[in-house]
Amino acid sequence: ILNYDIMARFRRRTCVILLLFILFICSIMMALKTLRPDRAGFGDPFGLGLLPELQQRTVLLDSKQNSLNRVQGDTVTRVSNMHSIAVNTMKASMSPVKKLEELSSPNYNFHIFYYTWYGNPQFDGKYIHWNHPLLPHWDPKIANNYPKGRHNPPEDIGANFYPELGSYSSKDPTVIEAHMKQMHSASTGVIVLSWYPPGMADENGEPTDDLVPVILEYAHKYNLKVTFHIEPYKDRDDRSMYHNVKYIIDKYGSHPAFYRHKTSTGRLLPMFYVYDSYVTIPEIWANLLTVSGSQSIRNTPYDALFIALLVEERHKHDIHRSGFDGMYTYFATNGFSYGSSHHNWASLKAFCDSNNLMFIPSVGPGYIDTSIRPWNNHNTRNRVNGKYYETAFSAALLVRPEIISITSFNEWHEGTQIEKAVPKRTGQVVYLDYKPHKPNVYLELTQKWSEKYRKEQEQWLM
């Protein structure tokens, strides 16, 4: 019994000493922790918002904060502080990196669709395109269930997102330069400029051909190139296309920012994307685009690479018969059309390879056009915080295309823009935004995939 009592006291003393030692160590660690600065000394590292681990933590904290917004202010403040600490801790664990602009160099195999149809009273005397009308459904019975009228800028614009630059004018030199900086930072190389012949425009816009020289100048400043997205202007046919291609090359072809693509045979040729090419029958296109055509542009000073829009599967045969040099898919809605469905890209690339055509898939960050087509909810594609965009890039890289096109830099009406957008709430409208990421997140994602594409292309060519 005596020995047992001695052993019991010894064990108790040992436990007490061990506990005191642990408390001593903990107190030292706590004291050291208080010496650590609240913020790390580094700036925001590149791609911070793209890191999955941080993204999950930030989203989790954001959702917690949203659920607590209804409780007392001091509680919300504590949650906000937790959020800041989590982000700062992640920042502290990363090495310093260069700014996005310093990392980027143009990738001339990344082509991005660009629109210069926006206007405001300061530069244009009125709003253009931001005041887009609500388009009625073609079925009157359905159309009657939805609102009519126009948008009323600057608070109410024809878009589901709101630009960081506000309801800008495409003529504003500061806007043009800001756009070039953004496209440069995204490591895109070729601007595919929406174009109508002089004196012509879409039904909601004004002629913009006089802006082309300014676009070329600013593009050159940022080492970007410009090619043309020929829109379906009135009476577009083989003759008018010959005339307009000649006009573009004669007027702009000598500018250093004018894009020419190096073909497999070593020729440097201009490139033209032809929107809604399928509305013109193959026989008319063949007059322009085949060597034996009556209006043939082939083997002339105005020869170029002509890229047709593929929507339906049957269009691939029409494109081949027409004499086009390739096809692109444009739409940013996976599943909307045959061409825009990612799972069809492999077979389209195989068709193009076997017929000496270029296949240019179009990737986009999402799609929403209910600000101008309120009945078109079923075609909305949620951005999923950038995951939709990355999925499209992954699908494009799988087919090893020579060029990838991006829909779009600033087609705000259809919500396909990667231009910077900001949160905005008005009395009537709550705009979508890029939260929990920053306004430049889609530029960062584009830059990330541009570099990935470059590296993979090097492997393909080995």
Side-chain angles (χ1 to χ4, degrees):
I1 295 172
L2 182 61
N3 288 340
Y4 177 79
D5 188 48
I6 291 170
M7 290 297 294
R9 282 202 300 271
F10 178 75
R11 280 198 294 268
R12 281 198 298 273
R13 188 180 296 116
T14 303
C15 289
V16 169
I17 291 169
L18 186 60
L19 181 61
L20 287 171
F21 179 73
I22 291 170
L23 287 171
F24 175 70
I25 295 297
C26 288
S27 64
I28 290 174
M29 290 177 68
M30 290 297 290
L32 289 172
K33 192 173 181 181
T34 60
L35 297 175
R36 186 177 180 275
D38 285 341
R39 288 187 63 85
F42 307 136
D44 289 351
F46 166 67
L48 179 67
L50 311 181
L51 296 170
E53 184 182 355
L54 176 60
Q55 182 179 329
Q56 288 167 6
R57 293 184 186 184
T58 305
V59 170
L60 178 61
L61 286 166
D62 277 345
S63 64
K64 286 181 179 177
Q65 184 168 340
N66 289 337
S67 67
L68 289 170
N69 275 342
R70 293 184 294 276
V71 302
Q72 294 177 347
D74 59 340
T75 306
V76 175
T77 303
R78 283 197 295 273
V79 176
S80 180
N81 289 341
M82 285 172 61
H83 187 175
S84 299
I85 291 166
V87 173
N88 291 335
T89 303
M90 286 297 291
K91 287 180 181 178
S93 67
M94 294 182 168
S95 56
V97 292
K98 293 180 180 180
K99 291 180 180 177
L100 182 62
E101 288 79 3
E102 296 171 2
L103 286 172
S104 302
S105 62
N107 182 346
Y108 298 115
N109 293 324
F110 259 34
H111 296 190
I112 187 163
F113 297 106
Y114 182 58
Y115 295 86
T116 56
W117 57 23
Y118 301 104
N120 62 26
Q122 182 184 354
F123 285 88
D124 308 89
K126 59 183 177 180
Y127 283 108
I128 304 171
H129 264 270
W130 298 119
N131 62 342
H132 202 288
L134 297 169
L135 302 174
H137 193 276
W138 53 87
D139 183 339
K141 292 178 182 177
I142 297 175
N144 289 335
N145 295 324
Y146 292 94
K148 299 174 178 63
R150 304 185 74 91
H151 288 278
N152 185 26
E155 297 298 300
D156 170 29
I157 64 171
N160 292 79
F161 293 83
Y162 202 87
E164 184 181 68
L165 296 173
S167 47
Y168 57 75
S169 169
S170 296
K171 291 181 180 176
D172 183 347
T174 63
V175 167
I176 297 171
E177 181 150 28
H179 285 170
M180 299 300 151
K181 280 183 179 177
Q182 289 186 36
M183 284 186 270
H184 175 83
S185 76
S187 198
T188 55
V190 179
I191 299 163
V192 186
L193 183 64
S194 172
W195 187 84
Y196 285 87
M200 303 181 97
D202 69 285
E203 60 185 7
N204 295 294
E206 303 280 340
T208 59
D209 177 64
D210 58 350
L211 259 182
V212 175
V214 185
I215 300 293
L216 285 164
E217 281 301 306
Y218 278 105
H220 184 53
K221 180 178 178 180
Y222 289 92
N223 209 19
L224 303 170
K225 303 295 181 186
V226 178
T227 192
F228 293 78
H229 197 192
I230 299 179
E231 301 283 0
Y233 58 82
K234 189 174 185 295
D235 299 325
R236 187 179 70 182
D237 61 12
D238 49 346
R239 291 176 181 273
S240 68
M241 275 289 287
Y242 191 107
H243 171 78
N244 284 312
V245 168
K246 182 178 184 300
Y247 169 85
I248 290 170
I249 293 174
D250 283 345
K251 188 163 185 180
Y252 307 123
S254 60
H255 196 283
F258 185 85
Y259 177 66
R260 281 182 166 81
H261 184 79
K262 189 173 184 178
T263 67
S264 57
T265 60
R267 295 177 73 195
L268 282 173
L269 291 176
M271 179 179 282
F272 297 99
Y273 289 80
V274 185
Y275 190 70
D276 278 1
S277 50
Y278 59 87
V279 301
T280 301
I281 60 172
E283 288 73 20
I284 297 293
W285 286 126
N287 288 339
L288 178 75
L289 301 177
T290 60
V291 175
S292 59
S294 59
Q295 286 286 129
S296 182
I297 207 164
R298 299 305 186 188
N299 302 320
T300 75
Y302 306 106
D303 202 354
L305 297 170
F306 294 87
I307 311 299
L309 175 63
L310 181 133
V311 180
E312 299 176 25
E313 184 179 12
R314 64 182 175 84
H315 291 159
K316 66 186 182 185
H317 302 291
D318 293 341
I319 287 167
H320 187 227
R321 282 198 302 136
S322 297
F324 280 100
D325 301 281
M327 59 184 72
Y328 72 116
T329 60
Y330 187 76
F331 299 107
T333 44
N334 183 23
F336 168 70
S337 68
Y338 182 88
S340 70
S341 300
H342 301 164
H343 66 269
N344 294 325
W345 288 353
S347 64
L348 285 170
K349 176 64 160 57
F351 176 86
C352 288
D353 287 348
S354 62
N355 290 284
N356 198 28
L357 297 170
M358 295 176 72
F359 177 61
I360 305 178
S362 303
V363 305
Y367 186 94
I368 182 166
D369 67 357
T370 53
S371 67
I372 62 167
R373 300 183 186 95
W375 38 266
N376 199 31
N377 266 312
H378 61 283
N379 280 319
T380 295
R381 299 294 183 272
N382 193 297
R383 293 187 174 223
V384 204
N385 292 331
K387 290 185 178 65
Y388 182 91
Y389 198 32
E390 298 210 75
T391 299
F393 272 120
S394 291
L397 261 62
L398 279 174
V399 301
R400 300 187 172 189
E402 188 176 348
I403 291 169
I404 292 175
S405 57
I406 297 165
T407 307
S408 65
F409 180 75
N410 65 338
E411 219 298 15
W412 288 91
H413 304 310
E414 296 182 346
T416 63
Q417 80 290 334
I418 66 166
E419 183 183 353
K420 293 181 182 180
V422 291
K424 186 175 178 66
R425 178 188 295 265
T426 70
Q428 299 173 328
V429 186
V430 179
Y431 290 92
L432 300 174
D433 56 55
Y434 301 162
K435 284 186 173 181
H437 303 299
K438 295 177 182 177
N440 68 339
V441 61
Y442 290 96
L443 304 174
E444 289 187 341
L445 280 170
T446 308
Q447 198 272 344
K448 167 188 165 182
W449 281 91
S450 178
E451 293 307 312
K452 185 175 174 63
Y453 175 69
R454 263 197 267 244
K455 287 175 183 173
E456 293 208 8
Q457 247 187 343
E458 289 172 8
Q459 298 297 316
W460 305 340
L461 298 173
M462 283 177 67

